[in-house]
Amino acid sequence: MLSRVANSIYWMSRYLERAENVARFIGVNLNLSLDMPGEYGEQWGPLVNITGDGELFAKRYGEPTRENVLHFLTFDRDNPNSILSCVRHARENARSVREIISSEMWEQANHFYLMVKDAAANKSSLKNPHDFYMAVKMESHLFDGITEATMSHGEAWHFLQMGELLERADKTSRILDVKYFILLPDEQVLGAAIDNIQWSALLKSASALEMYRKHSKQITPSKVAEFLLLNKDFPRSVQSCLRRAANSLRSITGSQQDDFSNVIEKRLGKLLADLNYTHIDEIISCGLHEFLDSLQTRLNQIDDAIFETYFTLRPLTGSSSHLT
């Protein structure tokens, strides 16, 4: 497979997953603004800081009002991580590999982009933001379903899976981090009714509340963190995402279980081993935010290794590589 093709497929899926997760991210605050009053429900400034775009936002908007933050994260063309920018980039990547993906996938990527573009042109689209952000999530789900049903599960599909799953793992960790940066202004609310509302909203943002209820009847911070980080069966948990990403990586490299042939497999395998042998009590005692910050750094290092191994153009040498 051409490195250009693998790169486009990988980033097509990452951008679509990112758009969906930005919608989920915003949904945390929107749900809380309905359920909780005052300082507990209306905090928009930290939202852009958690996405890593605080400096750009401050330069362009200044005041982190609800209207400014929603526009910046949703429709701002100059924000590379806005929903509009992500879906546009995904469509461009899909266009470049139309001969690889199915026609139904291309049509859905195009439809997704046009839906968001039309919403951006319609100033009234955010008057009922819940409907719009739900539509973004459903368009992303539809693309996933079409991909599963219409694309051959070969090498290209595994690159697509890696992109989607690594992006999902990263954003699940960031959604969990929201609790400590936005949803917990002071320690006085710990264990109170307000705290339960916050954790329920957090689980909803990851579409995890119903599955969590089947797993555990009581909502506690440690159990929620354990479910979103370490549960092996829930498809949006960090460990589940990384296990499936590792399976796709092995399908590309041909490596055996518990073996590695490149730095990607080494880094991903070590991270999975750490998660597999880590107990949630150890994570909490050492600091959940610190753990999540380290996790996000390691995910970035895995992404860097994927780029260096498969996507960068190098002079031809005597040794062969998997991608050309």
Side-chain angles (χ1 to χ4, degrees), residues 1-6 9 100 154-157 159 322-324:
M1 177 183 291
L2 294 174
S3 61
R4 171 190 62 81
V5 173
I9 289 175
I100 303 297
E155 193 173 51
W157 184 80
F159 272 105
H322 194 69
L323 296 177
T324 59

Side-chain angles (χ1 to χ4, degrees), residues 90-105:
R91 178 177 179 264
E92 291 169 355
N93 280 291
R95 183 195 295 276
S96 70
V97 291
R98 287 186 64 179
E99 74 281 6
I100 303 297
I101 64 176
S102 68
S103 58
E104 291 90 347
M105 290 170 64

Side-chain angles (χ1 to χ4, degrees), residues 54-246:
E55 184 176 345
L56 176 61
F57 175 86
K59 185 182 299 183
R60 290 179 51 76
Y61 291 86
E63 186 68 20
T65 63
R66 169 185 166 127
E67 180 180 2
N68 286 345
V69 171
L70 288 182
H71 184 268
F72 176 73
L73 293 178
T74 308
F75 296 134
D76 192 330
R77 293 178 178 273
D78 294 323
N79 173 13
N81 293 315
S82 72
I83 292 175
L84 178 60
S85 294
C86 287
V87 178
R88 184 178 71 245
H89 293 323
R91 178 177 179 264
E92 291 169 355
N93 280 291
R95 183 195 295 276
S96 70
V97 291
R98 287 186 64 179
E99 74 281 6
I100 303 297
I101 64 176
S102 68
S103 58
E104 291 90 347
M105 290 170 64
W106 160 247
E107 290 168 4
Q108 175 57 21
N110 192 49
H111 181 272
F112 193 175
Y113 168 71
L114 293 176
M115 185 275 287
V116 176
K117 180 184 177 185
D118 290 345
N122 182 2
K123 294 183 179 181
S124 65
S125 59
L126 289 185
K127 289 184 178 179
N128 193 353
H130 295 277
D131 288 347
F132 171 75
Y133 294 116
M134 178 59 70
V136 170
K137 290 189 286 185
M138 295 310 297
E139 289 289 323
S140 178
H141 292 171
L142 184 55
F143 183 87
D144 287 344
I146 290 172
T147 299
E148 177 70 21
T150 65
M151 185 176 183
S152 297
H153 290 193
E155 193 173 51
W157 184 80
H158 286 296
F159 272 105
L160 184 148
Q161 286 289 291
M162 276 204 305
E164 177 183 77
L165 292 167
L166 290 174
E167 183 69 29
R168 184 177 297 175
D170 177 75
K171 291 303 182 288
T172 293
S173 73
R174 292 179 186 276
I175 287 174
L176 184 57
D177 220 7
V178 168
K179 172 64 180 174
Y180 286 85
F181 277 89
I182 298 178
L183 308 182
L184 193 57
D186 59 65
E187 296 182 356
Q188 296 178 0
V189 301
L190 277 171
I194 288 176
D195 198 43
N196 289 332
I197 292 173
Q198 292 173 345
W199 284 109
S200 294
L202 181 69
L203 288 165
K204 286 180 181 177
S205 71
S207 294
L209 181 59
E210 292 180 341
M211 293 301 104
Y212 176 86
R213 288 294 194 186
K214 297 179 186 298
H215 181 265
S216 180
K217 293 183 179 180
Q218 185 179 9
I219 294 180
T220 66
S222 62
K223 288 184 178 180
V224 172
E226 181 179 29
F227 187 76
L228 292 178
L229 288 173
L230 305 178
N231 190 278
K232 296 179 181 179
D233 299 321
F234 181 62
R236 302 195 73 86
S237 79
V238 170
Q239 183 159 196
S240 175
C241 289
L242 296 182
R243 285 163 65 92
R244 287 178 288 149

Side-chain angles (χ1 to χ4, degrees), residues 245-259:
N247 289 338
S248 282
L249 181 58
R250 281 195 297 272
S251 295
I252 293 171
T253 63
S255 297
Q256 299 299 313
Q257 184 80 27
D258 299 326
D259 193 11

